[in-house]
C-alpha cells in the first residue's frame, strides 16, 4: 500500500523551510496520521504550476530525503524533494520511489527509468514524479503527475541522489482510496528540463 506522504505532509516541510523554519517535524496541521491523504483541497480553474520551470537548481535549504519500511539501505519507500518556486505559496517537485511497484517491482535499484507505462499513474508507479503547486502550511493547491521524461537514481543511502530530465506534467486529481491519478483536463501542464536532488537520507518522521 502506498504511503502517500507526498500528498499528505511532506510538502509542508517545503513551505516551512522556505519561510526559514527550523522545525524538521513533518506533520499534517490537523494532527492526522502521516499517511492520511490530504489531496482533497479544492482545485482552482487557473493553472497553479508554472508552464515551464526550465533547469532547476535545487536549494539545499529546501531539499530533503526520507525513507520508510525495510532498512535505509533497502527501503520500501524513499522520497527526495526540493522547492522549484520559493513563493509564497511555494512549488515543489518530488521523486517518490516505491519498492514492488511499476519499474521498481524488483526493489529500489540505482538505474535510469523512463516515465512510461505504470509510472504514468500514481496508483501503479514505482518511480513517481509530481509537482505540487501552491503549497501552504495547510494544503497543496494542485498536484501535477509526470507524463514523460526520465529519472536516474544514482544512490539511495546514505545519500539520496537522483537526477531527472525532460519531465512533462499534467494537472491531476488522486483518489484517496485507490490512489488512481486522473487528468483534470483543464489544459494545465508543466515541464522541468532538468533537476537534481541530493540529500542525506533520513527516517521518515513519525507522529
Amino acid at each position: 500500500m502506498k504511503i502517500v506522504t507526498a500528498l499528505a505532509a511532506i510538502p509542508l516541510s517545503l513551505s516551512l523551510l522556505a519561510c526559514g523554519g527550523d522545525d524538521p517535524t513533518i506533520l499534517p496541521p490537523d494532527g492526522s496520521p502521516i499517511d492520511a491523504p490530504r489531496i482533497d483541497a479544492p482545485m482552482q480553474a487557473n493553472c497553479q504550476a508554472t508552464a515551464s520551470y526550465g533547469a532547476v537548481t535545487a536549494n539545499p535549504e529546501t531539499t530533503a530525503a526520507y525513507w520508510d519500511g525495510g532498512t535505509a539501505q533497502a527501503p520500501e519507500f524513499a522520497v527526495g524533494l526540493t522547492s522549484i518556486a520559493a513563493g509564497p505559496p511555494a512549488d515543489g517537485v518530488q521523486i517518490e520511489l516505491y519498492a514492488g511497484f511499476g519499474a521498481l517491482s524488483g526493489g529500489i535499484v540505482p538505474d535510469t527509468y523512463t516515465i512510461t507505462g505504470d509510472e504514468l499513474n500514481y496508483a501503479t508507479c514505482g518511480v513517481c514524479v509530481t509537482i505540487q503547486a501552491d503549497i501552504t502550511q495547510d494544503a497543496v493547491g494542485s498536484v501535477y503527475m509526470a507524463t514523460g521524461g526520465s529519472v536516474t537514481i544514482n544512490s539511495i543511502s546514505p545519500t539520496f541522489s537522483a537526477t531527472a530530465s525532460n519531465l512533462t506534467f499534467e494537472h491531476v486529481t488522486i483518489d484517496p482510496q485507490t490512489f488512481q491519478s486522473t487528468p483534470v483536463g483543464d489544459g494545465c501542464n508543466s515541464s522541468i528540463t532538468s533537476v537534481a536532488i541530493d540529500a542525506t537520507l533520513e527516517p521518515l518522521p513519525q507522529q
Side-chain angles (χ1 to χ4, degrees), residues 41-154:
M43 300 296 180
Q44 298 182 11
N46 62 305
C47 301
Q48 294 179 321
T50 300
S52 176
Y53 293 92
V56 174
T57 300
N59 181 347
E61 293 185 356
T62 56
T63 302
Y66 302 97
W67 70 276
D68 193 48
T71 65
Q73 293 72 34
E76 295 175 6
F77 166 78
V79 59
L81 60 149
T82 191
S83 62
I84 52 179
D91 296 346
V93 62
Q94 296 184 161
I95 300 174
E96 299 170 70
L97 308 175
Y98 289 94
F101 286 82
L104 300 181
S105 58
I108 300 175
V109 179
D111 203 345
T112 296
Y113 299 91
T114 302
I115 304 300
T116 188
D118 286 343
E119 314 321 302
L120 298 173
N121 194 291
Y122 193 77
T124 56
C125 59
V127 180
C128 311
V129 188
T130 57
I131 287 174
Q132 315 220 345
D134 280 10
I135 301 165
T136 68
Q137 294 189 21
D138 298 318
V140 174
S142 300
V143 176
Y144 288 64
M145 188 79 193
T147 57
S150 64
V151 174
T152 297
I153 303 169
N154 302 306

Side-chain angles (χ1 to χ4, degrees), residues 21 28 46 70-71 75 106 147 161 167 171 195 198:
N46 62 305
T71 65
T147 57
S161 175
L167 296 171
H171 183 197
V195 61
D198 291 278

Side-chain angles (χ1 to χ4, degrees), residues 12-34:
L12 300 179
S13 69
L14 292 176
S15 60
L16 291 172
L17 287 168
C19 295
D22 296 321
D23 186 357
T25 303
I26 301 174
L27 294 174
D30 62 0
S32 58
I34 198 159

